[in-house]
Amino acid sequence: MENFGKWVLVLAGLGFLGFGVAITAAPAAVLGGVGITGSAAGVVELRAFYGGLELGLGTFLLVCAARPAWREPGLWSVALVNGGIAAARLLGIALSGEFTGFFAGALVWELGFTVAAILALRRGPRPG
């Protein structure tokens, strides 16, 4: 029970860190395939918001994995962040009619981690 939640946090944390590093290093390369490009100021914003947010969240989730008392809040973060992103992505797809392979992969990630975090939370309280 405890190990499942810990691994959900570790894997989600590493995923957010990896995506954050990639977007910070080369936002156009990562997001250009879905039409996100921009001016020099826009690229700064992509790096800051998308890259920085992903780096901070990934670090937080890894800290939660390492601290048993923080695992439950970390799992709630995984569930709510990924669930919120998936819901907004699905709304965007419904409104635009646009669907790409990137969206498919992202939804697998987002919905998968939402379900995994909920399952880990349902397994009961973690020692703290």
Side-chain angles (χ1 to χ4, degrees):
M1 163 174 29
E2 179 184 349
N3 281 335
F4 179 66
K6 179 179 177 178
W7 282 107
V8 169
L9 290 167
V10 167
L11 294 174
L14 290 174
F16 278 111
L17 277 176
F19 202 60
V21 167
I23 290 177
T24 301
V30 175
L31 300 172
V34 291
I36 299 176
T37 59
S39 64
V43 170
V44 168
E45 186 60 19
L46 287 171
R47 284 185 167 117
F49 191 79
Y50 286 92
L53 182 67
E54 303 262 350
L55 290 169
L57 181 57
T59 301
F60 172 71
L61 296 176
L62 292 176
V63 171
C64 289
R67 297 177 182 232
W70 289 27
R71 288 188 187 148
E72 187 170 350
L75 289 167
W76 276 106
S77 296
V78 170
L80 295 172
V81 167
N82 282 289
I85 295 168
R89 186 180 309 282
L90 288 167
L91 176 62
I93 291 166
L95 292 173
S96 71
E98 188 75 27
F99 190 79
T100 68
F102 180 91
F103 296 161
L107 282 167
V108 167
W109 171 275
E110 294 151 6
L111 294 172
F113 271 102
T114 299
V115 170
I118 290 169
L119 290 173
L121 286 164
R122 289 179 55 93
R123 290 180 177 211
R126 272 130 306 281

